[in-house]
Structures are given as structure tokens and as C-alpha cells.
Amino acid sequence: AHGVGRLAGSHVLRHLDGPRLRKLRARLHAQAFRATVVARLLPVGNFTVINLFAGALRVPFGSFVAGNVVGMSFGIGGLTLLAERLSAAWHAPTIANVAMLGLYVAGLFGMSLVLSKLFERAPPK
């Protein structure tokens, strides 16, 4: 979809052109990696639509791919480990397994707070 958006380029965005789109394009070029990570961590839209717009806005492909890998790794890894901890606590509800599940959930919550604060900061000028 990124390649399709890149090929279609201005044709896809012709109805949206304006100062806001130009500002968005400039910020995406300056912070492509960061924007892509945030787009994957937060439920901001459909994957295909995000990929299409990133291509149409000419987001650098390398930064886009790296941001996707990092952003999606947290979700995939987090869900995998959560499922493993839930399974262990369900099948063998020992104090240790339930405590590990609680620690894991608290760790996920803490990491999400840290990431949200990290990405909330104003971008460097």
C-alpha cells in the first residue's frame, strides 16, 4: 500500500491539498520514524489507509519500515507474553503465576505511560 500511495502520490491527495496537509507532510518527513511508531502503537486508523497515505505523502521508506517494526513489535510481543502469562495463571493458578501475571500487566501499564510521555514531548526544532 505504501508503494501504491507513492505511485498515486498527488492524485490521492489532490482533494486534501492545503496548508494543513503541507504542514503534516513536513512534519512526517522530519519525524517519519517517530510518527510511524506512534501510528502503530495507537489505534489511529486502518493499516492499509495509513500505509497508503504514508506513501502518498512521500514518507521515507526506510524510516517507515523501521517505525513499523518497532511499533508492531510492542503489540505483537506484548500480546504474546500476556497470553502466555494468562495461560500459566489459568492452568496453574499458583501465587507465583498470578503474581507474575500482575507484574507483567503492571509493567505493560508502566511502559505505556513512559511511551506516551516520551511521544507527548514537543518535537525538537
Side-chain angles (χ1 to χ4, degrees):
H2 186 277
V4 170
R6 194 170 197 85
L7 289 173
S10 60
H11 183 69
V12 171
L13 302 171
R14 73 173 179 228
H15 300 291
L16 303 173
D17 198 23
R20 295 179 92 186
L21 184 63
R22 285 189 286 277
K23 184 178 179 181
L24 175 64
R25 181 180 288 142
R27 290 192 78 185
L28 283 175
H29 280 273
Q31 300 176 355
F33 174 77
R34 185 181 202 180
T36 306
V37 170
V38 170
R40 295 307 180 215
L41 288 174
L42 304 174
V44 294
N46 179 301
F47 269 56
T48 304
V49 172
I50 291 172
N51 295 348
L52 181 69
F53 274 112
L57 291 170
R58 304 268 187 223
V59 172
F61 188 70
S63 298
F64 183 72
V65 170
N68 274 302
V69 169
V70 170
M72 290 173 61
S73 294
F74 282 108
I76 293 169
L79 288 175
T80 302
L81 291 173
L82 178 61
E84 189 274 328
R85 286 289 88 212
L86 280 169
S87 176
W90 181 265
H91 293 295
T94 64
I95 292 174
N97 280 339
V98 173
M100 286 297 293
L101 175 62
L103 283 173
Y104 179 74
V105 170
L108 280 177
F109 182 73
M111 281 190 345
S112 68
L113 285 177
V114 168
L115 284 172
S116 68
K117 292 297 179 191
L118 178 70
F119 287 115
E120 262 179 20
R121 291 188 305 169
K125 297 200 181 210

